[in-house]
Amino acid sequence: MQLHISPSMRSITISSSNEFTDLMKIKLAARHISSRTLFHTILILAFLLPFVFILTALVTLEGVNKCSSIDCLGRRLGPRFLGRVDDSERLARDFYTILNEVSTQEIPDGLKLPDSFNHLLSDMKNNHYDAKTFALVIRAMMEKFERDIRESKFAELMNKHFAASSIPKGIHCLSLRLTDEYSSNAHARRQLPSPELLPVLSDNAFHHFILATDNILAASVVVSSAVQSSSKPEKIVFHIITDKKTYAGMHSWFALNSVSPAIVEVKGVHQFDWLTRENVPVLEAVESHNGVRNYYHGNHVAGANLTETTPRRFASKLQSRSPKYISLLNHLRIYIPELFPNLDKVVFLDDDIVVQRDLAPLWDVDLGGKVNGAVETCRGDDEWVMSKRLRNYFNFSHPLIAKHLDPEECAWAYGMNVFDLQAWRKTDIRETYHSWLRENLKSNLTMWKLGTLPPALIAFKGHVHIIDPSWHMLGLGYQNKTNIENVRKAAVIHYNGQSKPWLEIGFEHLRPFWTKYVNYSNDFIKNCHIME
């Protein structure tokens, strides 16, 4: 068969191969369509049609449904011209039906599960899985991976708890070297403060800060940040209380590293005559109650049903079992009026805070006759941190707790507190604190679990004046999504939680706010390899 186009482009003749028989002859009228246009049209069709039919055949044979390149146009359009429909939705529905069927079936004990996706493909090829077997294997794999992830999360939380409870090698080294310096260097043993400044320690015209800690590095940051942030550092007096084993090292640090014109006093717990077992029942409770020591130092996993708890609840439980909560240093804040009988107003600071703004205006805050100026923790932009009510701390299934407390009542924060000691001495806060400690011990610690704050929430009930939240920002030790801009604006930032800035588990983007006050040029810090 041959195609003949006349020289004038006015007619097209289709004839047989022997050229004797004309099968079809088409005459073209110039006034309707140009011969050049027709020629180009036929030429394009001659090239395009074979291409479309080939791609249509490929789609039909291979079942290709998706294609994004231009040359796949035929693959998309061909099946539509041929009446072929996209069956991906039908396949998805069928697969869902099969998965739903196996969701309630028992997984055979001997079912061997692939370790990876590639192994799954290999098993499918070698074992010729049917759809139901494939769905059952997928379900079993997913459940196994979920269990593995869950176990890994609990293991991570346990390791984090041990890291948070331990003393970093560098900080331990610092304490040992400074203790040795105390015994060999007379300058490290010099009186703090100097004799002529002793009257200042009870002078209420000064701004008195109280810090109870056995962490020398942390104490240095609290003091340095407060002094550097103050507009009148000469008005600052720091009363640092530590335990007997840390006293020599703590004294050495502040004797050798002056923060003048601020004044620092370092005292050991053993130097307070008032701290006896008769006056401080918590001493006897901690030493004699086996349940207390087992709770804080025992096996934290034993007896815990990890299948019925969430990682978040388990993390909260671990945090409540930190050994620091049975340290006398942690309970000392309830005895401040007796330890400093000549002071009228003080600011108490935890050792995991950083002062970023002058705190002198806190002495001008009118507490309205209340004892404790504190930030409440149930309102704020950060729902993760500022969502603490009494229900978060107490067991309201206990009849005594349910009788005396409201679960929806807002909690407040320790860490940066303004205490009016004159008002405090007129109350029975200390006795209330002791009585509730005894009740909790009698109930085998079933009334609350978390350290010193719960009994304080009861003891200070009705004695708390809420101060502006910009004074005290919480959560930098357990929440890595902290708003950095809010951190910069806060007067005091608090690394409450496990991820302390001096630990390797501290959050890297929050650590610089703390490390900027560490003197890395100090020989003791360099020799103990405390690195920035």
Side-chain angles (χ1 to χ4, degrees), residues 173-457:
C173 165
L174 183 65
S175 180
L176 292 178
R177 286 179 177 267
L178 287 167
T179 299
D180 181 65
E181 193 72 12
Y182 184 85
S183 63
S184 60
N185 184 347
H187 189 60
R189 295 192 303 273
R190 70 181 179 87
Q191 185 173 343
L192 288 178
S194 56
E196 66 273 15
L197 293 176
L198 287 178
V200 174
L201 298 180
S202 57
D203 188 342
N204 285 294
F206 286 77
H207 298 153
H208 294 267
F209 292 91
I210 297 175
L211 172 64
T213 180
D214 60 355
N215 187 327
I216 298 172
L217 186 64
S220 73
V221 169
V222 174
V223 174
S224 296
S225 64
V227 172
Q228 293 181 37
S229 301
S230 174
S231 60
K232 295 181 179 180
E234 67 276 6
K235 298 284 287 183
I236 289 179
V237 179
F238 258 97
H239 304 269
I240 300 176
I241 308 173
T242 190
D243 57 20
K244 190 173 184 177
K245 65 179 175 58
T246 314
Y247 170 75
M250 188 75 75
H251 187 105
S252 292
W253 176 267
F254 287 102
L256 298 173
N257 298 277
S258 173
V259 291
S260 180
I263 298 169
V264 175
E265 173 194 32
V266 178
K267 294 195 73 171
V269 171
H270 58 289
Q271 295 174 321
F272 288 96
D273 295 334
W274 188 86
L275 290 177
T276 64
R277 284 176 174 79
E278 292 74 25
N279 291 329
V280 187
V282 70
L283 284 174
E284 184 177 357
V286 169
E287 292 178 356
S288 63
H289 197 284
N290 290 330
V292 172
R293 301 201 68 81
N294 288 336
Y295 179 79
Y296 288 102
H297 293 285
N299 188 334
H300 301 324
V301 178
N305 190 346
L306 300 184
T307 61
E308 295 183 3
T309 189
T310 64
R312 182 173 177 178
R313 290 178 182 172
F314 187 66
S316 177
K317 183 176 181 180
L318 286 177
Q319 186 174 338
S320 72
R321 298 178 78 162
S322 172
K324 74 175 185 178
Y325 292 126
I326 59 174
S327 167
L328 177 60
L329 289 175
N330 206 42
H331 291 271
L332 274 181
R333 64 196 81 192
I334 205 68
Y335 308 117
I336 290 176
E338 290 75 24
L339 299 181
F340 301 94
N342 298 318
L343 297 182
D344 296 338
K345 197 171 189 179
V346 300
V347 169
F348 183 89
L349 299 174
D350 275 354
D351 65 357
D352 53 354
I353 65 98
V354 173
V355 179
Q356 302 187 126
R357 203 166 72 218
D358 187 7
L359 299 185
L362 288 174
W363 273 263
D364 297 326
V365 172
D366 183 5
L367 298 183
K370 300 295 180 65
V371 173
N372 179 5
V375 170
E376 63 180 357
T377 57
C378 68
R379 299 179 183 89
D381 296 333
D382 193 334
E383 295 181 358
W384 173 265
V385 176
M386 305 300 286
S387 61
K388 302 297 187 297
R389 299 181 182 272
L390 295 194
R391 64 171 181 265
N392 298 106
Y393 297 99
F394 294 97
N395 174 19
F396 277 88
S397 64
H398 194 287
L400 273 179
I401 296 296
K403 180 180 178 180
H404 290 88
L405 300 178
D406 176 7
E408 297 305 314
E409 184 178 336
C410 191
W412 49 267
Y414 263 150
M416 198 284 293
N417 303 85
V418 186
F419 289 130
D420 184 338
L421 302 187
Q422 287 183 311
W424 191 337
R425 294 185 184 103
K426 299 175 184 178
T427 70
D428 59 352
I429 289 175
R430 174 165 57 90
E431 291 72 20
T432 303
Y433 186 89
H434 287 164
S435 66
W436 280 93
L437 277 179
R438 286 192 291 268
E439 289 295 336
N440 195 33
L441 290 172
K442 289 179 185 177
S443 66
N444 292 318
L445 307 179
T446 57
M447 297 171 73
W448 70 79
K449 301 293 186 184
L450 189 60
T452 57
L453 181 58
L457 291 173

Side-chain angles (χ1 to χ4, degrees), residues 114-171:
D115 296 326
S116 66
F117 180 73
N118 289 334
H119 289 165
L120 174 62
L121 293 179
S122 177
D123 286 355
M124 288 179 62
K125 181 178 179 181
N126 297 332
N127 299 327
H128 304 291
Y129 286 169
D130 57 24
K132 191 171 184 178
T133 304
F134 172 71
L136 195 63
V137 171
I138 288 291
R139 177 194 158 199
M141 287 180 66
M142 291 292 294
E143 291 181 357
K144 178 180 180 298
F145 291 152
E146 287 175 359
R147 287 194 301 270
D148 291 345
I149 292 172
R150 186 180 178 84
E151 291 174 3
S152 297
K153 184 63 177 178
F154 284 123
E156 176 192 352
L157 292 172
M158 280 299 302
N159 292 334
K160 191 172 183 180
H161 171 73
F162 293 136
S165 303
S166 63
I167 301 174
K169 182 171 62 176
I171 292 179

Side-chain angles (χ1 to χ4, degrees), residues 497-518:
Q498 292 179 317
S499 301
K500 305 299 185 188
W502 56 81
L503 299 174
E504 290 187 9
I505 59 174
F507 300 121
E508 290 295 333
H509 64 296
L510 299 177
R511 185 178 283 124
F513 293 95
W514 185 84
T515 56
K516 67 184 291 186
Y517 295 104
V518 177

